[in-house]
Amino acid sequence: QRIEGMSMNLDKLFEEKVYAGVLGKIIGVYLGRPFEGWNHKRIMDELGPINYYVNDKLNKPLCVTDDDITGTFAFLRALRDFNYDKNITAKQIGQTWLNNLIEDRTVLWWGGKGHSTEDTAYQNLKQGIHAPDSGSIKVNGKVIAEQIGAQIFIDGWALVSPGDPEQAVSLAGKAASVSHDGEAVYGAQIIAAIESMAFIENDIKKIIEQSKKFVPSNSVIYKLISDIQNWSSGNIDWLQAREKIEEKYGYDKYLGNCHMVPNHALIIMSLLFGDDDFQKTLMIVNTSGWDTDCNSGNVGCILGIKNGLAGLKSGPDYISPINDIIYCPTAVGGETITDALTESYKIINTARKINKLDKKNIKNNARFHFEMPDSTQGWKVNASKIRDSSVSISNTKLKTEIGEYGLSVNLNNLSKNEKCECLVDTFFPEHLTKLEGVARKTFFHYDLISTPIVNSGQKIVSEIISDVDQNITVTIFIKYWGKNDELFIVESEKYNFSKVDRQTNEWVVPDTNSNPIGQLGISIASKNGVSGKVSINYVDIKGEVKMIFSQPGHIIQHSRKHTMEVEENFYGQMWRNAWVKGLDKWEDRGKNFRISNNIGKGVLFTGNNVWKNYSVSSPILLQSVSSGGLVARVQGLKRYYTLELCSSNKIRIGKMFYDYSILDEVDFNVDFFKNYQLTMKVNGNIIKGFINNDLLIEYEDKENILEDGGAGLTVSDGTLVADEIAISN
């Protein structure tokens, strides 16, 4: 359907370009991340021209947590959270920062106010200085306001504005102003305009020429683009152009930690000298140095959009090594373990919703649907279980009633003594526990805050198609993090498949005794050696959780002298890693949940947006607090419902919707250091509060209803204690 004012249909071509843009973004970031901050000379001396991934040379993981990726996808959630209004305000985007950011832990470089531009903006937001003032030159000064961050987070605003650079520039300006001003905002708007136009125009020179008209002609950004355009029309190569950039726009000309202007110049240069070739253009921008992952990510997104998937594959294989994997750690922990296809369809549906179209329903909204060429959504073969040559996976063309693509498990004479496991990470990935030294430091430069996407009581629904030369058995399985931080498998019954067969199966995930689930997969076996293809059309995770959360029984209670050892090692912490900690303290000795927040309201929660209508229950003990109790439908640090006991002798239903409000409260005598069995039920827009199974308070919410999200505990101005938290439907 063509939208008024837009120059591109929201059709399959648009969807593929979004996916290619997302892939291009993460390829670029992963390519440039290992040598971020290096100058051109050091890169040439130690690595040479960057023609492919160099993470192995530097003993660094390829797919990592990175601010450039997380900020890009997380801050775009503002449109979803504010009803897909294309007239969203800078203030609302700033509120989305506060909802998603955990101070000193997620997304940003937390370099301190007056040093890190983003940290400066966050501190302003936290103190009630709303955007755009939070990022303004007036408040923060010119140097701080004109650093690079506005540019690196901006791609999503263009991806939802295909062929509509006016909208892209408007949205980018508001998003950038949360943390930046001046030339930084202009640079972000240029990138957004280029990306928006790349959906409909193939000539990069024309795209750049038209895009620069969106910023003032007397701005530095406009002038540098004009300079590089002139240089590229002469007889010099990119190396000579880079020298000219360093002479006129280099780091020594612009103060601050990482200024927008020099890095923006390298992006424009690489696009004009890259001959429209993905590998060459990324080689130029990465070999040029400076903020390589940021610049490379923007360039990769631009060319991904413009040239589509075919352009990403015109040179070496950049796609297979990353396997679609994205880590997006924010306070919305259920969206941390994600992938390029999942994020692409969030963007696709955001574009549809802001233009008053229904969301695209892919295979009944299945979590894993593979509905794009080359997509694998992070699925992989457990190579430890089989011979290297016997199994591989790939995206495959399928002809089904609900889709065109699936995931193919390719069997090459799988022995009768072998079991093929094909799986995906659903929580803390196993390989992270094996990282050491530089590799571990690199990955955990930004904390991995996440909650499992699969929990006990939920239903795994899958459609599997066999086309093999022998009968096979298939089982669905999960693996949970158990004793000694080992993964323990729990399998469904065996499903028998004939040589050519197609089945839809459902399996309810058994109780894992409070241990978080780290993997979900299928296993394939045969009584005889088997070859052929087993295709996964989709795998979905449905329904409400039925689980008691507490410290698993296999974890030894540590004494005071072992506290530091507990904190430094994974073991004993994995169950705790499944929770988002938006408060000051969570004691790691004694009670399972002893949480404190010194000033104001804090939350501790787990879960994701599959959780909708459920009960959360816990025995609560308060220690000198203003209030404490339960939270439900948590969608970050600034979006949730509460059921609280108050020191003012009230029981209260409250709502955090960026600011906290009391929805209803009734008298109830509250004693400190006394246990109360609290239960909170959310069903539709009705919230009910119980103590010892007696209904004491009820409220019907009719405005800005929070329809889904996780559950946990809240405490204000003190300490709360609980042994367990139970979730049921």
Side-chain angles (χ1 to χ4, degrees):
Q1 292 176 298
R2 186 173 294 279
I3 307 302
E4 184 179 354
M6 292 183 62
S7 300
M8 187 176 193
N9 296 331
L10 300 186
D11 54 13
K12 289 294 290 184
L13 177 61
F14 159 68
E15 293 174 17
E16 181 179 311
K17 281 180 172 286
V18 169
Y19 180 51
V22 170
L23 280 177
K25 172 76 175 185
I26 64 175
I27 289 168
V29 171
Y30 293 153
L31 182 62
R33 173 66 187 277
F35 48 92
E36 177 185 9
W38 292 22
N39 62 31
H40 172 67
K41 183 178 185 304
R42 183 181 177 189
I43 291 170
M44 291 299 293
D45 289 347
E46 298 185 30
L47 298 171
I50 306 299
N51 287 305
Y52 196 61
Y53 300 118
V54 298
N55 55 294
D56 287 345
K57 296 179 182 179
L58 299 174
N59 190 31
K60 294 182 177 181
L62 178 60
C63 300
V64 295
T65 56
D66 189 272
D67 57 336
D68 308 349
I69 291 174
T70 306
T72 297
F73 299 116
F75 298 148
L76 190 64
R77 296 171 187 167
L79 285 168
R80 179 183 69 190
D81 290 346
F82 288 98
N83 300 315
Y84 301 98
D85 183 359
K86 66 175 65 178
N87 296 312
I88 192 170
T89 65
K91 177 182 176 180
Q92 290 171 324
I93 300 171
Q95 289 174 310
T96 301
W97 278 50
L98 293 176
N99 188 49
N100 283 271
L101 297 176
I102 301 177
E103 189 170 0
D104 292 329
R105 299 191 69 192
T106 62
V107 185
L108 305 182
W109 168 51
W110 299 96
K113 187 172 183 177
H115 184 42
S116 161
T117 298
E118 292 76 20
D119 197 354
T120 301
Y122 173 84
Q123 298 304 327
N124 289 337
L125 291 167
K126 196 172 78 165
Q127 293 169 33
I129 302 173
H130 296 298
D133 288 345
S134 56
S136 67
I137 290 174
K138 175 184 66 177
V139 173
N140 302 328
K142 184 176 176 63
V143 171
I144 294 298
E146 292 191 333
Q147 301 300 305
I148 195 174
Q151 183 169 271
I152 66 176
F153 299 149
I154 218 65
D155 310 271
W157 305 96
L159 287 166
V160 300
S161 308
D164 189 353
E166 288 83 4
Q167 177 177 294
V169 167
S170 174
L171 291 171
K174 287 182 279 192
S177 72
V178 174
S179 50
H180 292 76
D181 200 354
E183 298 294 338
V185 173
Y186 299 151
Q189 290 176 311
I190 289 289
I191 296 300
I194 290 172
E195 290 174 340
S196 176
M197 293 190 61
F199 278 97
I200 58 171
E201 173 59 58
N202 196 48
D203 187 335
I204 193 65
K205 293 181 180 179
K206 185 182 293 186
I207 291 172
I208 292 172
E209 175 61 25
Q210 293 184 11
S211 295
K212 77 175 184 179
K213 297 175 183 177
F214 287 98
V215 302
S217 59
N218 63 348
S219 65
V220 175
I221 292 294
Y222 186 99
K223 292 174 182 177
L224 77 79
I225 293 173
S226 298
D227 281 343
I228 299 168
Q229 287 174 314
N230 291 335
W231 299 336
S232 68
S233 63
N235 295 318
I236 67 173
D237 61 18
W238 74 268
L239 287 165
Q240 293 167 308
R242 192 207 64 80
E243 290 179 359
K244 287 179 175 289
I245 288 171
E246 187 164 15
E247 289 170 5
K248 189 169 183 178
Y249 299 106
Y251 269 17
D252 59 319
K253 312 296 190 301
Y254 296 92
L255 299 177
N257 186 69
C258 187
H259 202 277
M260 166 72 81
V261 167
N263 289 289
H264 189 84
L266 294 185
I267 290 175
I268 301 300
M269 179 196 72
S270 68
L271 292 170
L272 290 174
F273 284 87
D275 297 333
D276 212 30
D277 179 82
F278 188 70
Q279 183 184 32
K280 182 178 179 180
T281 307
L282 286 181
M283 180 277 292
I284 292 172
V285 79
N286 279 289
T287 310
S288 295
W290 296 337
D291 201 351
T292 48
D293 59 337
C294 302
N295 301 336
S296 181
N298 287 136
V299 168
C301 186
I302 291 166
L303 289 187
I305 294 168
K306 192 174 80 66
N307 299 337
L309 291 172
L312 300 183
K313 298 188 287 186
S314 62
D317 179 11
Y318 287 104
I319 296 176
S320 296
I322 63 174
N323 197 29
D324 264 6
I325 291 171
I326 295 176
Y327 302 111
C328 195
T330 69
V332 188
E335 298 189 62
T336 295
I337 304 297
T338 185
D339 58 82
L341 189 62
T342 296
E343 295 306 312
S344 294
Y345 270 100
K346 290 178 187 176
I347 291 168
I348 289 162
N349 281 322
T350 296
R352 294 180 64 85
K353 290 290 287 183
I354 64 176
N355 289 290
K356 311 303 181 185
L357 300 175
D358 291 336
K359 286 187 177 182
K360 197 78 176 284
N361 183 334
I362 306 297
K363 298 180 182 177
N364 299 316
N365 292 318
R367 176 62 179 82
F368 301 102
H369 56 75
F370 316 107
E371 192 61 17
M372 196 71 75
D374 302 299
S375 172
T376 53
Q377 294 196 260
W379 284 69
K380 56 193 173 185
V381 173
N382 186 354
S384 66
K385 298 288 185 181
I386 55 171
R387 293 174 291 116
D388 291 342
S389 61
S390 60
V391 181
S392 64
I393 62 169
S394 60
N395 189 274
T396 188
K397 192 85 171 173
L398 289 178
K399 289 293 184 182
T400 71
E401 295 82 359
I402 60 171
E404 298 180 24
Y405 296 93
L407 187 72
S408 173
V409 184
N410 308 301
L411 307 175
N412 179 21
N413 194 28
L414 182 70
S415 167
K416 64 181 181 180
N417 296 319
E418 292 180 311
K419 178 189 289 187
C420 161
E421 288 184 357
C422 184
L423 54 88
V424 67
D425 292 316
T426 58
F427 172 52
F428 205 97
E430 183 181 19
H431 74 274
L432 300 186
T433 65
K434 299 176 172 60
L435 294 179
E436 296 179 350
V438 172
R440 181 173 174 179
K441 183 178 180 181
T442 298
F443 188 92
F444 290 105
H445 181 77
Y446 299 95
D447 280 2
L448 184 72
I449 308 293
S450 70
T451 63
I453 65 173
V454 181
N455 289 278
S456 297
Q458 293 186 294
K459 185 184 296 182
I460 308 300
V461 183
S462 61
E463 183 178 59
I464 297 171
I465 304 165
S466 65
D467 186 7
V468 290
D469 60 6
Q470 300 287 337
N471 294 342
I472 58 173
T473 60
V474 174
T475 58
I476 312 299
F477 67 82
I478 55 97
K479 293 185 181 181
Y480 64 82
W481 284 108
K483 187 175 181 179
N484 298 323
D485 277 345
E486 296 178 5
L487 285 169
F488 292 81
I489 191 169
V490 180
E491 294 182 291
S492 71
E493 63 181 296
K494 292 181 179 179
Y495 306 113
N496 296 310
F497 281 71
S498 57
K499 297 177 184 179
V500 179
D501 202 352
R502 174 177 168 181
Q503 295 183 27
T504 300
N505 295 298
E506 298 183 357
W507 177 55
V508 176
V509 179
D511 188 1
T512 60
N513 298 311
S514 298
N515 292 292
I517 295 170
Q519 294 177 351
L520 167 66
I522 72 165
S523 61
I524 304 166
S526 176
K527 293 181 179 179
N528 303 295
V530 61
S531 295
K533 182 167 71 174
V534 177
S535 298
I536 305 172
N537 191 19
Y538 63 84
V539 177
D540 200 9
I541 305 157
K542 290 182 174 293
E544 307 301 344
V545 173
K546 186 176 182 181
M547 185 171 179
I548 295 176
F549 294 91
S550 63
Q551 178 172 280
H554 58 81
I555 297 174
I556 299 171
Q557 293 289 335
H558 289 268
S559 62
R560 184 181 298 272
K561 67 180 181 180
H562 291 130
T563 299
M564 290 305 297
E565 179 183 349
V566 170
E567 292 176 351
E568 291 174 359
N569 290 283
F570 288 108
Y571 184 60
Q573 299 296 297
M574 198 63 78
W575 77 281
R576 296 165 66 89
N577 289 338
W579 293 79
V580 175
K581 191 181 84 167
L583 39 72
D584 291 325
K585 291 179 174 58
W586 180 8
E587 186 182 77
D588 58 9
R589 304 186 311 275
K591 295 288 186 179
N592 293 333
F593 298 98
R594 188 189 304 275
I595 58 174
S596 305
N597 206 60
N598 297 329
I599 300 173
K601 190 174 297 295
V603 287
L604 178 76
F605 60 93
T606 191
N608 55 62
N609 63 1
V610 176
W611 298 22
K612 289 182 170 62
N613 299 312
Y614 58 84
S615 295
V616 52
S617 181
S618 179
I620 300 294
L621 181 147
L622 304 179
Q623 296 183 194
S624 186
V625 303
S626 59
S627 66
L630 305 172
V631 288
R633 291 187 178 162
V634 189
Q635 301 174 355
L637 299 184
K638 297 293 183 178
R639 294 170 63 95
Y640 53 83
Y641 293 114
T642 72
L643 175 68
E644 300 167 87
L645 297 174
C646 308
S647 60
S648 57
N649 290 319
K650 303 281 187 182
I651 182 170
R652 167 193 302 165
I653 291 176
K655 182 179 183 180
M656 177 67 78
F657 193 77
Y658 305 104
D659 294 311
Y660 181 74
S661 60
I662 299 171
L663 300 182
D664 194 15
E665 61 182 6
V666 297
D667 292 336
F668 182 83
N669 188 53
V670 176
D671 293 326
F672 292 154
F673 295 93
K674 177 181 177 180
N675 274 310
Y676 298 92
Q677 184 67 36
L678 255 63
T679 300
M680 182 181 187
K681 291 187 177 181
V682 286
N683 190 352
N685 65 338
I686 305 295
I687 306 109
K688 296 181 179 181
F690 301 77
I691 293 183
N692 299 327
N693 295 320
D694 293 329
L695 177 62
L696 297 185
I697 189 169
E698 180 175 352
Y699 187 82
E700 181 180 5
D701 194 16
K702 296 181 179 179
E703 185 178 357
N704 295 317
I705 301 165
L706 304 176
E707 297 179 345
D708 53 58
L713 303 169
T714 182
V715 62
S716 299
D717 310 311
T719 296
L720 175 152
V721 181
D723 275 338
E724 64 182 33
I725 302 169
I727 310 292
S728 60
N729 50 28

